Amino acid sequence: MTPDDATLYGSRVLVTGASRGYGAAIARALAARGARLLLTATQESRLVRVADDCRAAGADTTAMTLHLSSPDSIDALATAVAAAVPRLEGVVMNAGVLGPTGPLDACDPDQVARAIQVDMLGQARLLTRLSPVIADGAGVVLVTSGAAGRPGYAGYALGKAGLEALGLMLREEWAHRGIRVVAINPGPVRTDMRAQAHPQEDPATVPPPSERVAPVLAVLAGEDPGPRVQAAEWGLS
Ligand SMILES: NC(=O)c1ccc[n+]([C@@H]2O[C@H](COP(=O)([O-])OP(=O)(O)OC[C@H]3O[C@@H](n4cnc5c(N)ncnc54)[C@H](OP(=O)(O)O)[C@@H]3O)[C@@H](O)[C@H]2O)c1
């Protein structure tokens, strides 16, 4: 067991978007290190399979549905988390949607707004609702993307740019509580979203998400690499 693994053992961590892709890989890696998990996604059927895997690895695991498009769902999740655990030592805001792609003026503005709601506004609401239950000294990871602010990615680009701004803001506002807020860009990983964004790409040429989880675990275990890091360049994967 590494020092990081020893720190993660028994720590209570919320992971959003844990039903598949990068979030599921993070959940499984945390389960293998004995973290106590609260896992969320929109679709219970997929989420319970990941939760079962985590329990089979010995991790105390609770699965809860969450729709970041719905303020009521966000508030209900925050209330349920506060009832379930006294404190969270870690939060991984991983859930996201790609939304429409292409030039912004060619995209349906309602679809763009829906992506911004999920990728940024819903995340801000959830984090601030969770604030009372986030422990002093906790690690908070915001999963961002190289597409933040990039042309052609419409609401996703705006949402991720806003998410990074949210991270900078909360990093300062929560500094007196010793909370490390770090935006981590996993880079390309082999998931449904990657296939949706790059349908012509051979998935075999993209690394599996399990190869990019080490920086997330390190932040949750106490490291603070700064406000924003690229998973592949941190030298941990
Ligand atoms: N894949 C890449 O190459 C890549 C690169 C850079 C950054 N990222 C970022 O990494 C994160 C994970 O991406 P991924 O590739 O693993 O995506 P994915 O395979 O599409 O999985 C997305 C996850 O988010 C959840 N989710 C979707 N809409 C939601 C909503 N409205 N409310 C709550 N949860 C919702 C999904 O739950 P359901 O299964 O229930 O729908 C699922 O668990 C995202 O933030 C993404 O932007 C990915």
Side-chain angles (χ1 to χ4, degrees):
M1 184 180 275
T2 68
D4 279 2
D5 292 354
T7 309
L8 291 170
Y9 188 86
S11 68
R12 286 164 295 231
V13 183
L14 172 76
V15 183
T16 68
S19 59
R20 54 198 164 104
Y22 194 46
I26 293 165
R28 290 191 171 101
L30 287 168
R33 288 156 181 82
R36 287 179 282 184
L37 298 173
L38 297 168
L39 305 181
T40 80
T42 66
Q43 298 187 40
E44 202 175 354
S45 54
R46 273 201 288 236
L47 183 62
V48 293
R49 285 201 291 273
V50 178
D52 286 346
D53 290 350
C54 292
R55 284 189 203 104
D60 177 346
T61 305
T62 304
M64 299 168 162
T65 54
L66 166 68
H67 295 264
L68 285 163
S69 51
S70 158
D72 287 348
S73 172
I74 292 167
D75 293 353
L77 188 274
T79 301
V81 169
V85 296
R87 284 284 177 271
L88 286 171
E89 283 85 32
V91 178
V92 183
M93 303 291 286
N94 162 79
V97 287
L98 183 61
T101 54
L104 192 57
D105 60 7
C107 293
D108 176 342
D110 292 331
Q111 289 183 14
V112 170
R114 277 197 285 277
I116 296 171
Q117 167 64 34
V118 172
D119 291 328
M120 198 269 275
L121 296 175
Q123 319 258 356
R125 187 180 185 104
L126 179 56
L127 271 178
T128 51
R129 285 282 191 262
L130 288 174
S131 175
V133 88
I134 297 176
D136 290 355
V140 174
V141 172
L142 309 182
V143 178
T144 185
S145 166
R150 230 167 84 190
Y153 284 90
Y156 184 71
L158 293 169
K160 291 296 189 186
L163 184 70
E164 292 187 10
L166 173 72
L168 290 172
M169 189 185 300
L170 292 181
R171 189 176 165 86
E172 289 205 17
E173 292 180 359
W174 290 352
H176 68 286
R177 296 166 58 186
I179 298 173
R180 304 172 301 287
V181 182
V182 180
I184 296 182
N185 172 17
V189 284
R190 195 187 309 153
T191 67
D192 294 344
M193 186 188 288
R194 179 75 192 178
Q196 186 188 349
H198 300 273
Q200 315 302 339
E201 182 177 73
D202 176 1
T205 63
V206 183
S210 57
E211 288 187 10
R212 294 290 181 265
V213 302
V216 176
L217 304 189
V219 169
L220 295 176
E223 294 197 37
D224 187 354
R228 186 185 191 283
V229 291
Q230 314 274 2
E233 290 169 14
W234 196 13
L236 289 162
S237 17

